[in-house]
Amino acid sequence: MPKDAAGLIGALLSDNGFYQFCDTSEISGANFRKGVKSIFEGAFMAYRNPSMHANLTCSQREAFERIVQASQMMGILTSGEVRI
């Protein structure tokens, strides 16, 4: 069992993960899945943990960029399905 949110996301979105959000039968789909997995892991490590454990500030521009990124990530998640 993963020890943190980034590890959990990595396990869900891995090659054999439970969450399927693209067709990985072609190299472009496999590359897309791998890239999305990296985006999610990076976002959880870069944004969630520092924000939760320190009094960090961000500009309006940075906040807007994070909201746009989160929106894109949620769009990917809502387009997929859980395989059991």
Side-chain angles (χ1 to χ4, degrees):
M1 182 67 151
K3 295 180 182 183
D4 57 17
L8 178 60
I9 291 296
L12 287 172
L13 302 179
S14 68
D15 289 333
N16 298 318
F18 289 107
Y19 197 73
Q20 183 69 30
F21 58 92
C22 65
D23 179 9
T24 58
S25 63
E26 299 288 331
I27 190 72
S28 61
N31 286 342
F32 179 71
R33 186 215 45 80
K34 185 177 181 180
V36 167
K37 177 179 176 270
S38 295
I39 289 170
F40 272 86
E41 289 172 329
F44 271 84
M45 289 187 298
Y47 297 131
R48 187 211 172 267
N49 287 335
S51 299
M52 298 299 288
H53 301 294
N55 291 322
L56 300 178
T57 59
C58 67
S59 68
Q60 286 182 330
R61 177 180 171 216
E62 291 169 321
F64 175 76
E65 290 169 348
R66 291 177 188 183
I67 291 168
V68 169
Q69 182 179 10
S71 177
Q72 180 185 21
M73 293 165 62
M74 288 304 299
I76 291 168
L77 287 182
T78 59
S79 69
E81 60 186 43
V82 176
R83 355 176 243 203
I84 298 176

Coordinates of all heavy atoms in Angstrom, one line a residue:
M1 N 0.8 -1.2 0.0 CA 0.0 0.0 0.0 C 0.9 1.2 0.0 O 1.8 1.3 0.8 CB -0.9 0.0 1.2 CG -1.8 1.1 1.3 SD -3.1 1.0 0.0 CE -4.4 1.8 0.8
P2 N 0.6 2.2 -0.9 CA 1.4 3.4 -0.9 C 1.3 4.2 0.4 O 0.3 4.2 1.0 CB 0.8 4.2 -2.1 CG 0.1 3.2 -2.9 CD -0.3 2.1 -2.0
K3 N 2.4 4.9 0.7 CA 2.5 5.6 2.0 C 2.0 7.1 1.9 O 1.8 7.7 2.9 CB 3.9 5.6 2.5 CG 4.5 4.2 2.8 CD 5.9 4.3 3.3 CE 6.4 2.9 3.6 NZ 7.7 2.9 4.1
D4 N 1.9 7.6 0.7 CA 1.4 9.0 0.5 C 0.5 9.1 -0.7 O 0.3 8.2 -1.4 CB 2.6 9.9 0.5 CG 3.6 9.6 -0.7 OD1 3.2 8.8 -1.6 OD2 4.7 10.0 -0.7
A5 N 0.0 10.3 -0.8 CA -0.9 10.6 -1.9 C -0.3 10.4 -3.3 O -0.9 9.9 -4.2 CB -1.5 12.0 -1.8
A6 N 1.0 10.9 -3.4 CA 1.6 10.7 -4.7 C 1.8 9.2 -5.1 O 1.6 8.8 -6.2 CB 3.0 11.4 -4.7
G7 N 2.1 8.4 -4.1 CA 2.3 7.0 -4.3 C 1.0 6.3 -4.7 O 0.9 5.4 -5.5
L8 N -0.1 6.8 -4.0 CA -1.4 6.2 -4.3 C -1.8 6.6 -5.8 O -2.3 5.7 -6.5 CB -2.5 6.8 -3.3 CG -3.9 6.3 -3.6 CD1 -4.0 4.8 -3.5 CD2 -4.8 7.0 -2.6
I9 N -1.6 7.8 -6.1 CA -1.9 8.3 -7.5 C -1.1 7.4 -8.5 O -1.6 7.0 -9.5 CB -1.7 9.8 -7.7 CG1 -2.7 10.6 -6.9 CG2 -1.7 10.2 -9.2 CD1 -4.1 10.4 -7.4
G10 N 0.2 7.3 -8.2 CA 1.0 6.5 -9.1 C 0.5 5.1 -9.2 O 0.5 4.5 -10.3
A11 N 0.1 4.5 -8.1 CA -0.5 3.1 -8.2 C -1.8 3.0 -9.0 O -2.0 2.1 -9.8 CB -0.7 2.5 -6.8
L12 N -2.6 4.0 -8.9 CA -3.9 4.0 -9.6 C -3.7 4.2 -11.1 O -4.4 3.6 -11.9 CB -4.8 5.1 -9.1 CG -5.5 4.8 -7.7 CD1 -6.2 6.1 -7.2 CD2 -6.4 3.7 -7.8
L13 N -2.7 5.0 -11.5 CA -2.5 5.4 -12.9 C -1.4 4.6 -13.5 O -1.1 4.9 -14.7 CB -2.3 6.9 -13.0 CG -3.3 7.8 -12.4 CD1 -2.9 9.3 -12.5 CD2 -4.7 7.6 -13.0
S14 N -0.8 3.7 -12.9 CA 0.3 2.9 -13.5 C -0.2 2.0 -14.6 O -1.4 1.9 -14.8 CB 0.9 2.0 -12.4 OG 0.1 1.0 -11.9
D15 N 0.7 1.3 -15.3 CA 0.3 0.4 -16.4 C -0.8 -0.6 -16.0 O -1.7 -0.9 -16.7 CB 1.5 -0.3 -16.9 CG 2.5 0.6 -17.6 OD1 2.1 1.6 -18.2 OD2 3.7 0.2 -17.6
N16 N -0.6 -1.1 -14.8 CA -1.6 -2.1 -14.3 C -2.5 -1.6 -13.3 O -3.1 -2.3 -12.5 CB -0.8 -3.4 -13.8 CG 0.0 -4.0 -14.8 OD1 -0.4 -4.2 -15.9 ND2 1.2 -4.4 -14.5
G17 N -2.7 -0.3 -13.2 CA -3.5 0.4 -12.2 C -5.0 0.1 -12.4 O -5.4 -0.3 -13.5
F18 N -5.8 0.5 -11.4 CA -7.2 0.3 -11.5 C -7.9 1.3 -12.3 O -9.1 1.1 -12.7 CB -7.8 0.2 -10.1 CG -7.4 -1.0 -9.3 CD1 -6.5 -0.9 -8.3 CD2 -8.0 -2.2 -9.6 CE1 -6.2 -2.1 -7.6 CE2 -7.6 -3.3 -8.9 CZ -6.7 -3.3 -7.9
Y19 N -7.3 2.4 -12.6 CA -8.0 3.5 -13.3 C -7.5 3.6 -14.7 O -6.4 3.8 -15.0 CB -7.8 4.8 -12.6 CG -8.8 5.9 -13.0 CD1 -10.1 5.8 -12.6 CD2 -8.4 6.9 -13.9 CE1 -11.0 6.7 -13.0 CE2 -9.4 7.8 -14.3 CZ -10.7 7.7 -13.8 OH -11.6 8.6 -14.2
Q20 N -8.5 3.4 -15.7 CA -8.2 3.5 -17.1 C -8.8 4.7 -17.7 O -10.0 4.9 -17.6 CB -8.8 2.2 -17.8 CG -8.5 2.1 -19.3 CD -7.0 1.8 -19.5 OE1 -6.4 1.2 -18.8 NE2 -6.5 2.3 -20.6
F21 N -7.9 5.6 -18.2 CA -8.4 6.9 -18.8 C -8.0 7.1 -20.2 O -8.3 8.1 -20.8 CB -7.9 8.1 -17.9 CG -6.5 8.2 -17.8 CD1 -5.7 8.9 -18.7 CD2 -5.8 7.5 -16.8 CE1 -4.3 9.0 -18.6 CE2 -4.4 7.6 -16.6 CZ -3.7 8.3 -17.5
C22 N -7.3 6.1 -20.8 CA -6.9 6.2 -22.2 C -6.6 4.9 -22.8 O -6.3 3.9 -22.0 CB -5.7 7.2 -22.4 SG -4.2 6.7 -21.7
D23 N -6.6 4.8 -24.1 CA -6.2 3.5 -24.8 C -4.7 3.4 -24.8 O -4.1 4.2 -25.5 CB -6.8 3.5 -26.2 CG -6.5 2.3 -27.0 OD1 -6.0 1.3 -26.4 OD2 -6.8 2.2 -28.2
T24 N -4.2 2.4 -24.2 CA -2.7 2.2 -24.1 C -2.2 1.2 -25.1 O -1.1 0.8 -25.0 CB -2.3 1.9 -22.7 OG1 -2.9 0.7 -22.2 CG2 -2.5 3.1 -21.7
S25 N -3.1 0.7 -26.0 CA -2.7 -0.3 -27.0 C -1.7 0.3 -28.0 O -1.0 -0.5 -28.6 CB -3.9 -0.9 -27.6 OG -4.6 0.0 -28.4
E26 N -1.7 1.6 -28.2 CA -0.8 2.2 -29.1 C 0.3 3.0 -28.3 O 0.0 3.4 -27.2 CB -1.5 3.2 -30.0 CG -2.5 2.5 -30.9 CD -1.9 1.7 -32.0 OE1 -0.8 2.0 -32.5 OE2 -2.5 0.7 -32.4
I27 N 1.4 3.3 -28.9 CA 2.5 4.0 -28.2 C 2.1 5.4 -27.7 O 2.4 5.8 -26.6 CB 3.8 4.0 -29.0 CG1 5.0 4.5 -28.1 CG2 3.6 4.9 -30.2 CD1 5.4 3.5 -27.1
S28 N 1.3 6.1 -28.5 CA 0.9 7.4 -28.1 C 0.0 7.4 -26.9 O 0.1 8.3 -26.0 CB 0.1 8.1 -29.3 OG -1.0 7.4 -29.6
G29 N -0.9 6.4 -26.8 CA -1.7 6.3 -25.6 C -0.9 5.9 -24.4 O -1.1 6.4 -23.3
A30 N 0.1 5.0 -24.6 CA 0.9 4.6 -23.4 C 1.8 5.8 -23.0 O 1.9 6.0 -21.8 CB 1.8 3.5 -23.9
N31 N 2.3 6.6 -23.9 CA 3.0 7.8 -23.5 C 2.1 8.8 -22.8 O 2.6 9.5 -21.9 CB 3.7 8.4 -24.8 CG 4.8 7.6 -25.3 OD1 5.4 6.8 -24.6 ND2 5.2 7.9 -26.5
F32 N 0.9 9.0 -23.3 CA 0.0 9.9 -22.6 C -0.3 9.5 -21.2 O -0.2 10.3 -20.3 CB -1.3 10.0 -23.4 CG -2.4 10.9 -22.8 CD1 -2.2 12.3 -22.9 CD2 -3.5 10.4 -22.2 CE1 -3.1 13.1 -22.3 CE2 -4.4 11.2 -21.6 CZ -4.3 12.6 -21.7
R33 N -0.6 8.2 -21.0 CA -0.8 7.7 -19.6 C 0.4 7.9 -18.7 O 0.3 8.4 -17.6 CB -1.1 6.2 -19.7 CG -1.5 5.6 -18.3 CD -1.1 4.2 -18.1 NE 0.3 3.9 -18.5 CZ 1.4 4.2 -17.7 NH1 1.3 4.9 -16.6 NH2 2.6 3.9 -18.2
K34 N 1.6 7.7 -19.3 CA 2.8 7.9 -18.5 C 3.0 9.3 -18.1 O 3.3 9.7 -17.0 CB 4.0 7.3 -19.3 CG 5.3 7.4 -18.5 CD 6.4 6.8 -19.4 CE 7.7 6.8 -18.6 NZ 8.8 6.2 -19.4
G35 N 2.7 10.2 -19.1 CA 2.8 11.7 -18.8 C 1.8 12.1 -17.8 O 2.2 12.9 -16.9
V36 N 0.6 11.7 -17.9 CA -0.5 12.1 -17.0 C -0.1 11.6 -15.6 O -0.3 12.3 -14.6 CB -1.8 11.6 -17.4 CG1 -2.9 11.7 -16.4 CG2 -2.3 12.3 -18.7
K37 N 0.4 10.4 -15.5 CA 0.8 9.8 -14.2 C 1.9 10.8 -13.6 O 1.8 11.1 -12.4 CB 1.3 8.4 -14.3 CG 1.8 7.8 -13.1 CD 2.3 6.3 -13.4 CE 2.9 5.7 -12.2 NZ 4.3 5.9 -12.1
S38 N 2.8 11.2 -14.4 CA 3.9 12.1 -13.9 C 3.3 13.4 -13.4 O 3.8 14.0 -12.4 CB 4.9 12.3 -14.9 OG 5.6 11.1 -15.2
I39 N 2.4 14.0 -14.2 CA 1.7 15.2 -13.8 C 1.1 15.1 -12.5 O 1.2 16.0 -11.6 CB 0.7 15.7 -14.9 CG1 1.5 16.1 -16.2 CG2 -0.1 16.8 -14.4 CD1 0.6 16.4 -17.4
F40 N 0.3 14.0 -12.3 CA -0.4 13.9 -11.0 C 0.6 13.7 -9.8 O 0.4 14.3 -8.8 CB -1.4 12.7 -11.1 CG -2.7 13.1 -11.6 CD1 -3.0 13.1 -13.0 CD2 -3.8 13.4 -10.7 CE1 -4.2 13.5 -13.5 CE2 -5.0 13.8 -11.2 CZ -5.2 13.8 -12.6
E41 N 1.6 12.9 -10.0 CA 2.5 12.7 -8.9 C 3.2 14.0 -8.6 O 3.4 14.3 -7.4 CB 3.5 11.6 -9.3 CG 3.0 10.2 -9.4 CD 3.9 9.2 -10.0 OE1 4.8 9.5 -10.8 OE2 3.9 8.0 -9.5
G42 N 3.6 14.7 -9.6 CA 4.3 16.0 -9.4 C 3.5 17.0 -8.7 O 3.9 17.7 -7.8
A43 N 2.2 17.1 -9.2 CA 1.3 18.1 -8.6 C 1.1 17.8 -7.1 O 1.1 18.7 -6.3 CB 0.0 18.1 -9.3
F44 N 0.9 16.5 -6.8 CA 0.7 16.1 -5.4 C 1.9 16.4 -4.5 O 1.8 16.9 -3.4 CB 0.3 14.7 -5.2 CG -1.2 14.5 -5.3 CD1 -1.8 14.4 -6.5 CD2 -2.0 14.4 -4.2 CE1 -3.2 14.2 -6.6 CE2 -3.4 14.3 -4.3 CZ -4.0 14.2 -5.5
M45 N 3.1 16.2 -5.1 CA 4.3 16.4 -4.3 C 4.6 17.9 -4.2 O 5.0 18.4 -3.2 CB 5.5 15.7 -4.9 CG 5.4 14.2 -4.7 SD 6.9 13.3 -5.3 CE 6.9 13.6 -7.0
A46 N 4.4 18.7 -5.3 CA 4.8 20.1 -5.4 C 3.8 21.0 -4.7 O 4.2 21.9 -4.0 CB 5.0 20.5 -6.8
Y47 N 2.5 20.7 -4.9 CA 1.5 21.7 -4.4 C 0.8 21.3 -3.2 O 0.6 22.1 -2.3 CB 0.5 21.9 -5.5 CG 1.0 22.6 -6.8 CD1 0.8 22.0 -8.0 CD2 1.9 23.7 -6.7 CE1 1.3 22.6 -9.1 CE2 2.4 24.2 -7.8 CZ 2.1 23.7 -9.0 OH 2.6 24.3 -10.2
R48 N 0.5 20.0 -3.0 CA -0.3 19.6 -1.9 C 0.5 19.7 -0.6 O 0.2 20.4 0.4 CB -0.9 18.2 -2.0 CG -1.8 17.9 -0.9 CD -1.8 16.4 -0.5 NE -2.5 16.2 0.7 CZ -2.0 16.1 1.9 NH1 -0.7 16.3 2.1 NH2 -2.7 15.9 3.0
N49 N 1.7 19.0 -0.5 CA 2.4 19.0 0.7 C 2.9 20.3 1.2 O 2.7 20.7 2.3 CB 3.5 17.9 0.6 CG 3.0 16.5 0.6 OD1 1.9 16.3 1.2 ND2 3.7 15.6 0.0
P50 N 3.6 21.1 0.3 CA 4.1 22.4 0.8 C 2.9 23.3 1.3 O 3.0 24.0 2.3 CB 4.8 23.0 -0.4 CG 5.2 21.9 -1.2 CD 4.1 20.9 -1.0
S51 N 1.8 23.3 0.6 CA 0.7 24.1 0.9 C 0.1 23.7 2.3 O -0.4 24.5 3.0 CB -0.4 24.1 -0.1 OG 0.1 24.5 -1.4
M52 N 0.1 22.4 2.6 CA -0.5 21.9 3.8 C 0.4 22.1 5.0 O -0.1 22.1 6.1 CB -0.9 20.5 3.6 CG -1.9 20.2 2.5 SD -3.5 21.1 2.8 CE -4.2 20.1 4.1
H53 N 1.7 22.1 4.8 CA 2.6 22.1 5.9 C 3.4 23.3 6.2 O 4.3 23.3 7.0 CB 3.5 20.9 5.7 CG 2.8 19.6 5.6 ND1 2.1 19.0 6.7 CD2 2.6 18.7 4.6 CE1 1.5 17.9 6.3 NE2 1.8 17.7 5.1
A54 N 3.1 24.4 5.4 CA 3.8 25.6 5.6 C 2.9 26.8 5.3 O 2.0 26.6 4.6 CB 5.1 25.6 4.8
N55 N 3.3 27.9 5.8 CA 2.5 29.1 5.5 C 3.1 29.8 4.2 O 3.8 30.8 4.3 CB 2.6 30.1 6.6 CG 1.8 29.6 7.8 OD1 0.7 29.0 7.6 ND2 2.3 29.8 9.0
L56 N 2.8 29.2 3.0 CA 3.4 29.7 1.8 C 2.3 30.6 1.1 O 1.1 30.4 1.3 CB 3.7 28.5 0.8 CG 4.7 27.5 1.3 CD1 4.9 26.4 0.3 CD2 6.0 28.2 1.6
T57 N 2.8 31.6 0.5 CA 1.9 32.5 -0.2 C 2.1 32.3 -1.7 O 3.1 31.8 -2.2 CB 2.2 34.0 0.1 OG1 3.5 34.3 -0.2 CG2 2.0 34.2 1.6
C58 N 1.1 32.7 -2.5 CA 1.2 32.6 -3.9 C 0.5 33.8 -4.5 O -0.5 34.3 -3.9 CB 0.7 31.3 -4.5 SG -1.1 31.0 -4.4
S59 N 0.9 34.3 -5.7 CA 0.3 35.4 -6.3 C -1.0 35.0 -6.9 O -1.3 33.8 -7.1 CB 1.2 36.0 -7.4 OG 1.3 35.0 -8.5
Q60 N -1.8 36.0 -7.4 CA -3.0 35.7 -8.1 C -2.8 34.9 -9.3 O -3.5 34.0 -9.7 CB -3.8 37.0 -8.4 CG -4.4 37.7 -7.3 CD -5.2 38.9 -7.7 OE1 -4.8 39.6 -8.7 NE2 -6.3 39.2 -7.0
R61 N -1.7 35.2 -10.0 CA -1.3 34.5 -11.3 C -1.0 33.0 -10.9 O -1.5 32.1 -11.6 CB -0.1 35.1 -11.9 CG 0.3 34.4 -13.1 CD 1.5 35.0 -13.8 NE 2.0 34.1 -14.8 CZ 3.3 34.0 -15.1 NH1 4.2 34.7 -14.5 NH2 3.6 33.2 -16.1
E62 N -0.2 32.8 -9.9 CA 0.1 31.4 -9.5 C -1.2 30.6 -9.1 O -1.3 29.5 -9.5 CB 1.1 31.4 -8.4 CG 2.5 31.9 -8.8 CD 3.4 32.1 -7.6 OE1 2.9 32.6 -6.5 OE2 4.6 31.7 -7.7
A63 N -2.1 31.3 -8.4 CA -3.3 30.6 -8.0 C -4.1 30.3 -9.2 O -4.7 29.2 -9.3 CB -4.1 31.6 -7.0
F64 N -4.2 31.2 -10.1 CA -5.0 31.0 -11.4 C -4.4 29.8 -12.1 O -5.1 28.9 -12.6 CB -5.0 32.2 -12.3 CG -5.6 32.0 -13.6 CD1 -7.0 31.9 -13.7 CD2 -4.9 31.8 -14.7 CE1 -7.6 31.7 -14.9 CE2 -5.5 31.6 -16.0 CZ -6.8 31.6 -16.1
E65 N -3.1 29.7 -12.3 CA -2.4 28.6 -13.0 C -2.7 27.3 -12.3 O -2.9 26.3 -13.0 CB -0.9 28.9 -13.1 CG -0.6 30.1 -14.0 CD 0.9 30.5 -13.9 OE1 1.6 30.1 -13.0 OE2 1.3 31.3 -14.8
R66 N -2.6 27.3 -11.0 CA -2.9 26.0 -10.3 C -4.4 25.6 -10.4 O -4.6 24.4 -10.6 CB -2.6 26.2 -8.8 CG -1.1 26.3 -8.5 CD -0.8 26.6 -7.1 NE 0.6 26.9 -6.9 CZ 1.2 27.1 -5.8 NH1 0.5 27.0 -4.7 NH2 2.5 27.4 -5.7
I67 N -5.3 26.5 -10.5 CA -6.7 26.2 -10.7 C -6.9 25.6 -12.1 O -7.6 24.6 -12.3 CB -7.6 27.4 -10.5 CG1 -7.6 27.8 -9.0 CG2 -9.0 27.2 -11.0 CD1 -8.2 29.1 -8.7
V68 N -6.2 26.2 -13.1 CA -6.3 25.7 -14.5 C -5.7 24.3 -14.6 O -6.3 23.4 -15.2 CB -5.6 26.7 -15.5 CG1 -5.5 26.0 -16.8 CG2 -6.4 28.0 -15.6
Q69 N -4.6 24.1 -13.9 CA -4.0 22.7 -14.0 C -4.9 21.7 -13.3 O -5.1 20.6 -13.8 CB -2.6 22.8 -13.3 CG -1.9 21.4 -13.3 CD -0.6 21.4 -12.7 OE1 -0.1 22.3 -12.1 NE2 0.1 20.3 -12.9
A70 N -5.4 22.1 -12.1 CA -6.3 21.2 -11.4 C -7.6 20.9 -12.2 O -8.0 19.7 -12.3 CB -6.7 21.8 -10.1
S71 N -8.1 21.9 -13.0 CA -9.2 21.6 -13.8 C -8.9 20.6 -14.9 O -9.7 19.7 -15.2 CB -9.7 23.0 -14.4 OG -10.7 22.8 -15.3
Q72 N -7.7 20.8 -15.6 CA -7.3 19.9 -16.6 C -7.2 18.4 -16.0 O -7.6 17.5 -16.6 CB -6.0 20.3 -17.2 CG -5.5 19.4 -18.3 CD -4.1 19.7 -18.8 OE1 -3.4 20.4 -18.2 NE2 -3.9 19.2 -20.0
M73 N -6.6 18.3 -14.9 CA -6.4 17.0 -14.2 C -7.7 16.4 -13.9 O -7.9 15.2 -14.1 CB -5.5 17.2 -13.0 CG -4.1 17.6 -13.3 SD -3.1 18.2 -11.9 CE -3.1 16.7 -10.8
M74 N -8.7 17.2 -13.4 CA -10.0 16.6 -13.1 C -10.7 16.2 -14.4 O -11.4 15.2 -14.4 CB -10.8 17.7 -12.3 CG -10.4 17.9 -10.9 SD -10.3 16.4 -9.9 CE -12.0 15.9 -10.0
G75 N -10.5 16.9 -15.5 CA -11.1 16.5 -16.7 C -10.6 15.1 -17.2 O -11.4 14.3 -17.7
I76 N -9.3 14.9 -17.0 CA -8.8 13.6 -17.3 C -9.4 12.5 -16.5 O -9.8 11.4 -16.9 CB -7.2 13.6 -17.2 CG1 -6.6 14.5 -18.3 CG2 -6.7 12.2 -17.3 CD1 -5.2 14.8 -18.1
L77 N -9.5 12.8 -15.2 CA -10.0 11.8 -14.3 C -11.5 11.5 -14.6 O -11.9 10.3 -14.5 CB -9.9 12.2 -12.8 CG -8.5 12.2 -12.2 CD1 -8.5 12.6 -10.8 CD2 -7.9 10.8 -12.3
T78 N -12.3 12.5 -14.9 CA -13.7 12.2 -15.1 C -14.0 11.6 -16.5 O -15.1 11.0 -16.7 CB -14.5 13.6 -15.1 OG1 -14.0 14.5 -16.0 CG2 -14.5 14.2 -13.7
S79 N -13.0 11.5 -17.3 CA -13.1 10.8 -18.6 C -12.8 9.3 -18.5 O -13.1 8.6 -19.5 CB -12.3 11.5 -19.7 OG -10.9 11.2 -19.4
G80 N -12.3 8.9 -17.4 CA -11.9 7.5 -17.3 C -12.9 6.6 -16.6 O -14.0 7.0 -16.3
E81 N -12.4 5.4 -16.3 CA -13.2 4.4 -15.6 C -12.4 3.5 -14.8 O -11.2 3.2 -15.1 CB -14.1 3.6 -16.6 CG -13.2 2.8 -17.6 CD -14.1 2.1 -18.6 OE1 -15.0 2.7 -19.1 OE2 -13.8 0.9 -18.9
V82 N -12.9 3.0 -13.7 CA -12.2 2.1 -12.8 C -12.4 0.6 -13.4 O -13.5 0.2 -13.7 CB -12.8 2.1 -11.4 CG1 -12.2 1.1 -10.5 CG2 -12.7 3.5 -10.8
R83 N -11.3 -0.1 -13.5 CA -11.3 -1.5 -13.9 C -11.1 -2.4 -12.6 O -10.2 -2.1 -11.9 CB -10.4 -1.9 -14.9 CG -9.5 -0.9 -15.6 CD -8.6 -1.6 -16.5 NE -7.2 -1.3 -16.0 CZ -6.1 -1.3 -16.7 NH1 -6.2 -1.7 -17.9 NH2 -5.0 -1.1 -16.2
I84 N -11.9 -3.3 -12.5 CA -11.8 -4.3 -11.4 C -11.6 -5.7 -11.9 O -12.1 -6.1 -12.9 CB -13.0 -4.2 -10.5 CG1 -13.1 -2.8 -9.9 CG2 -12.9 -5.2 -9.3 CD1 -14.3 -2.5 -9.0

